[in-house]
Structures are given as C-alpha cells and as structure tokens.
Amino acid sequence: MEVKEPQVAQPRPPTERPPKVRKPRAVQAWKLAHAQNSMFDEARAELGDVFELNLGRNKWNVLAHPDAIKQVFTSPPTVLHAGKGNEILATALGDHSVLLLDEDEHMRQRKLLLPSFHGEKLATQTKTIERIAELQVERIPRGETFSVREHSQEIALEVILEVVLGTASTGEQHDRLGAATKHMLEWIASGIRLVASQMLGPRSAAIKRMYRPVLKPLDAGLYELIAERMTEPGLEERDDILSMLLTARDEDGRPMTDVEIRDELVTLIVAGHETTATALAWTFERLTRTPGSAARLHEESLTDETEYTKAVAQEGLRLRPVLDFVIRKVVEPIEIAGYQFQPGDIVTPSIYLVHRREDVYPQALEFKPERWFDQKPGTYTWIPFGGGVRRCIGFSFAMAEMETVMRAVARAGVLESVGPDEKTVQRFITSSPERGGEVRFAA
Ligand code: HEM
C-alpha cells in the first residue's frame, strides 16, 4: 500500500536540526522508562515525523516516516553503527556478541549464525517447538485465569535449551543450565539494573562485579557444555545451534573461539527469550479483546490452514511491537529526511510510530488480522524485527515459534480476556503487558 503523506525528505539548510521535545531532560528520560508511548505519540502529533529527544548524555533523533526508515536501513554499515546503540547489554552478552559488533566483525559473526535459523533447520526446529508447546499447554489450568507470559516464557526457555544448546529435555545438565539461564534472564529483566548499567557504563568494574554471581554459574555450564560437545562424534549431523557453531568456519576458514561461542549463545538466549514470550502475551491480550477473533483462531487450529494464525501474529507484532525502536549511531555524515546528521548523532527509527500510521494502516489502533489478507508486510512499514544488515537473525524462527505456540494453545479451546485492557510496562528492553496477558479458556 502506498504512503500518501508528503515526503519528509525535503533538503534543509545543513545547520537545521529536527524540532525538539521541549520538556526538561530528566522528564524526558523518566518518560522513556515509564511512559514512552505517550511521549512518542505526543511528540509526533506536535512536531511531525522527525523530532529530537534529549536524554542527558544522548540526544535521539526519532524517525517515524517510512522513507526516513528506508534511508537508515539501506545505508552502508560504515555509515551507521548499531553495536554502540546496544552497548547497554554488553555486561551479560560479552564483547563478541553479534548485537554489539559493527562492520566486518559484525558481518563475520552474523554470517556464522544465519544458517542456523533457515531452510531445513527451521522445519526440524518447528517440530521441537510443537512438542514443547503441546506439553506446556497441558499444564495450563482449564477454567482459571492464567498469564500467557508465564507459559510462553517456559516454552521459550525449553525451546532455547533444546534448539540452541541441544541439551536433552531431562537430565542433570539440562536442569542446571535451565536454572542458571532462567536466573540470569529474570535478573537482567529488572529495570533498575538497566538504569544502573546506563549510568555507570556496562563495562565498569562495579557493574561487572554486580553481574558476576549471576553470570558465573551460567558461564561455567556453557563452557563445560562446549568442551563436552567438541569431543562428541557426529557433530556435523546434529541439529542444535551449538554444534553448528562448533563446526562453522568463516570465509578465511577460521573456527569460532570458545569465548565467541559463549557470547553468541548468551546473545541468542537473551535476544530470543523475552521477545518471543512477550510477543505471544501481547498477541493473545489483543486477540481476546477482539470479538470473534479467538473463536476464529480456535477453528483454524483444528485444520491444516494457517492463514489466519499468521495474520494474527503479524497484527500482534504491528500493534504491540515488543521492541519500540532500534538505535543507530552516525559514524559518517548522512542526510536523512532532509536533515544532515553528523558523526556522534543518534538516529532512532520508531517501530511503534510507523506501525500506527493511518496512511499505511487505516484504523491503525484496531486489532484487525484481516488487513494482512490483501497486504504484505512492507519492508519499511512493518518492522518489528528491525531492518537492513541488522535485521533480527531469529525472524523466521520467532514467527514459527509464535504460530506454533498459538496453534497449540488455540487447539485446547477458545480463549477470553480477563480484566481491563493491559497497560504497557517496560520489562528489560521490551514493552510488555502489565499482567503478562491474562486470559482463560471459555467454559
Ligand atoms: C518476536 C520475537 C522477536 C522480536 C520482536 C525481535 C526483534 C529484534 C529487533 C528489533 C532486532 C534489532 C534489529 C535492528 O537493529 O534493526 C533484533 C536483533 C536480533 N535478534 Fe531478534 N527478535 C525476536 C526474536 C529473536 C529470536 C528468537 C532470536 C534468536 C534465537 C533473535 C536473535 C536476534 C539477534 C542475534 C539479533 C542481532 C542481529 C544483528 O545485530 O545483526 N531474535 N531482534
């Protein structure tokens, strides 16, 4: 569908800056943590498709127009860096994480990881997800209120242990790694720890000391697993991502080091857990508040059709995108939306604002899965997974997980909403439903 609004990319004088949000810095920073969406909505209504937020150490140039987002996602990796923007995650993920690297080093790690999530691998992974989801759905209490997130987190954790680490679903090592992973994920989800990392710097001695007790058992378990797996015969035939990383070679024939493998494993665990679990929670929260939708999903789940299920997942990620923005740091001068940005500037494509454009999505605030029957997700207008050379590596995997879990839950009955609409709260780096998506199976 065409974007009808006027183009934003009118050339402007080189010194002109985007209009500024005129609230005190501290208020803007507080709002980013507690009332982000209303601040973005108000700023766009008042200032238009490009505006500047002042967050103390940083100024963000927020972009809400698809043309501007296209300019960001298609610019070379030497001009805009994403690694710096993700730096707050460095303590847990480690310096070799694909999320934190840029340019050649980023591309090297990305290419080593990408084959793990595509083609035949994805079909095998989907079968694993199905088995895990069905087991978890049996544990959902019938007739009682439950939080989708509680169950989707259990599923996401088990999926990671099997798909990424390749540990069997029972056994001492599986349980030990599971407990260490869960502990780390719950620990880093706390907003206060993120704020502390932001203020002191993720690589400061104090922050590293704070993280040590929670990372130590996880790292010990991961290095033990890496050492054991390396000596196992038939690594090439195994489907898990750890085994693939152990056998992967870059363009120069170099294998990954143990530390690189550890950092990428933790990256996949962190990037793939909370995001998918939250996306499912929001999607069910919206679905059950839209008359007829939950019944329709249930009916489709009893057949081999998946059109409606896919549309529901796409619409859930549009209206409640989980990550509301992505961040890029300018390293070479670049013109975006007519403005000249200089090295050091930060540009922030707003997933949240683009997904709510009436010119792209008529009745944008309504949850309407049907809109996807005759509209394909646009590269620069449906961006829950970001874009360009940084687009989410787990995109196909996450969509498969969402659809598989939704079908498994819907097969068990028709869900209905409980209580008032859920507000958005910040959990770790995600925008999450305050009660985790509370629902119950209709009698
Ligand atoms: C619904 C679930 C998910 C959402 C909404 C999501 C969203 C995102 C977003 C917005 C980015 C940043 C893109 C950018 O900067 O342009 C990203 C990056 C990434 N995601 Fe996901 N993600 C999800 C699931 C997953 C899963 C399941 C995995 C892997 C198991 C994963 C692994 C990654 C990795 C490794 C990156 C870094 C890519 C790079 O920097 O090159 N994500 N994701």
Side-chain angles (χ1 to χ4, degrees):
M1 206 174 273
E2 284 284 296
V3 175
K4 294 179 212 95
E5 287 208 354
Q7 302 267 314
V8 283
Q10 308 295 336
R12 296 179 169 87
T15 49
E16 194 183 327
R17 304 293 301 176
K20 292 179 170 50
V21 172
R22 301 235 164 256
K23 287 191 174 64
R25 270 194 319 218
V27 173
Q28 295 187 42
W30 185 89
K31 281 205 150 193
L32 190 74
H34 297 97
Q36 197 183 102
N37 295 347
S38 64
M39 175 164 73
F40 275 51
D41 284 332
E42 284 161 24
R44 193 203 161 208
E46 188 195 337
L47 306 171
D49 283 330
V50 187
F51 54 85
E52 185 192 280
L53 289 181
N54 187 347
L55 304 167
R57 262 200 309 161
N58 294 318
K59 293 189 173 60
W60 283 9
N61 296 283
V62 177
L63 310 171
H65 196 287
D67 291 346
I69 286 169
K70 182 175 180 181
Q71 286 175 302
V72 171
F73 286 169
T74 53
S75 73
T78 46
V79 175
L80 296 177
H81 281 181
K84 275 267 175 287
N86 297 329
E87 206 170 18
I88 190 155
L89 307 173
T91 333
L93 304 189
D95 290 334
H96 303 281
S97 165
V98 68
L99 267 164
L100 302 175
L101 297 169
D102 282 300
E103 299 193 28
D104 293 350
E105 264 310 300
H106 164 255
M107 214 23 101
R108 173 173 179 263
Q109 297 291 333
R110 192 175 161 92
K111 281 189 181 153
L112 290 166
L113 287 171
L114 269 175
S116 311
F117 293 104
H118 290 97
E120 276 174 36
K121 295 282 170 203
L122 189 60
T124 317
Q125 290 160 352
T126 306
K127 290 227 157 43
T128 307
I129 297 169
E130 203 164 62
R131 175 169 45 77
I132 292 169
E134 273 164 11
L135 276 176
Q136 188 64 30
V137 169
E138 281 172 23
R139 298 191 188 117
I140 296 178
R142 304 300 192 261
E144 282 174 37
T145 298
F146 65 93
S147 138
V148 173
R149 192 177 53 218
E150 214 173 280
H151 293 276
S152 59
Q153 275 183 327
E154 288 296 326
I155 295 172
L157 180 65
E158 205 50 52
V159 165
I160 280 166
L161 290 172
E162 279 208 47
V163 171
V164 178
L165 303 184
T167 62
S169 55
T170 50
E172 191 270 330
Q173 190 178 42
H174 166 275
D175 294 350
R176 192 158 35 88
L177 267 168
T181 307
K182 203 169 171 174
H183 184 46
M184 182 270 291
L185 289 166
E186 275 164 13
W187 200 84
I188 62 172
S190 137
I192 195 81
R193 293 189 181 113
L194 270 190
V195 173
S197 295
Q198 179 78 41
M199 287 171 71
L200 299 174
R203 292 189 175 85
S204 70
I207 293 293
K208 281 188 178 162
R209 219 173 15 252
M210 193 169 118
Y211 272 69
R212 201 170 295 142
V214 79
L215 289 179
K216 216 173 149 188
L218 178 64
D219 287 355
L222 289 177
Y223 284 123
E224 178 192 284
L225 191 67
I226 293 171
E228 272 178 27
R229 187 68 51 78
M230 209 133 60
T231 60
E232 272 183 34
L235 264 194
E236 316 271 345
E237 277 80 57
R238 288 186 64 115
D239 286 316
D240 59 272
I241 292 172
L242 168 57
S243 301
M244 289 183 62
L245 296 183
L246 283 168
T247 51
R249 298 290 177 267
D250 68 10
E251 280 157 1
D252 304 323
R254 276 182 301 167
M256 292 170 81
T257 65
D258 285 6
V259 180
E260 282 175 336
I261 293 182
R262 178 266 171 215
D263 289 358
E264 296 314 356
L265 291 177
V266 177
T267 299
L268 296 177
I269 291 169
V270 171
H273 181 264
E274 188 83 9
T275 43
T276 316
T278 304
L280 280 161
W282 265 133
T283 301
F284 277 112
E285 195 272 349
R286 286 294 90 193
L287 177 86
T288 51
R289 289 169 202 279
T290 311
S293 293
R296 191 163 174 187
L297 185 73
H298 168 67
E299 276 154 29
E300 188 175 86
S301 74
L302 304 174
T303 71
D304 289 334
E305 295 292 317
T306 56
E307 188 191 27
Y308 190 67
T309 315
K310 274 190 202 322
V312 168
Q314 278 167 208
E315 184 67 347
L317 286 165
R318 179 192 70 81
L319 197 52
R320 296 286 188 272
V322 181
L323 300 177
D324 285 326
F325 48 78
V326 294
I327 297 179
R328 302 287 187 265
K329 191 164 191 173
V330 177
V331 280
E332 281 176 25
I334 180 174
E335 187 192 301
I336 301 170
Y339 294 102
Q340 303 290 330
F341 292 103
Q342 300 303 326
D345 285 343
I346 289 176
V347 290
T348 312
S350 169
I351 301 172
Y352 170 84
L353 288 177
V354 168
H355 284 188
R356 289 174 171 235
R357 292 185 70 98
E358 277 294 324
D359 55 349
V360 183
Y361 301 107
Q363 297 172 302
L365 299 188
E366 284 180 29
F367 184 83
K368 288 174 56 166
E370 303 76 20
R371 71 171 84 240
W372 297 106
F373 293 168
D374 56 9
Q375 186 180 354
K376 273 199 171 150
T379 314
Y380 308 109
T381 50
W382 186 79
I383 52 168
F385 297 97
V389 291
R390 305 305 298 224
R391 190 167 95 142
C392 175
I393 287 178
F395 158 62
S396 313
F397 182 78
M399 290 307 285
E401 183 165 347
M402 280 186 75
E403 286 163 30
T404 308
V405 174
M406 278 161 53
R407 281 174 70 78
V409 175
R411 263 198 300 276
V414 178
L415 285 172
E416 59 187 20
S417 61
V418 178
D421 284 10
E422 296 194 32
K423 294 201 175 71
T424 302
V425 290
Q426 296 308 125
R427 227 186 102 87
F428 185 39
I429 50 170
T430 65
S431 291
S432 197
E434 57 181 342
R435 303 191 303 281
E438 271 185 359
V439 295
R440 69 175 161 238
F441 283 109

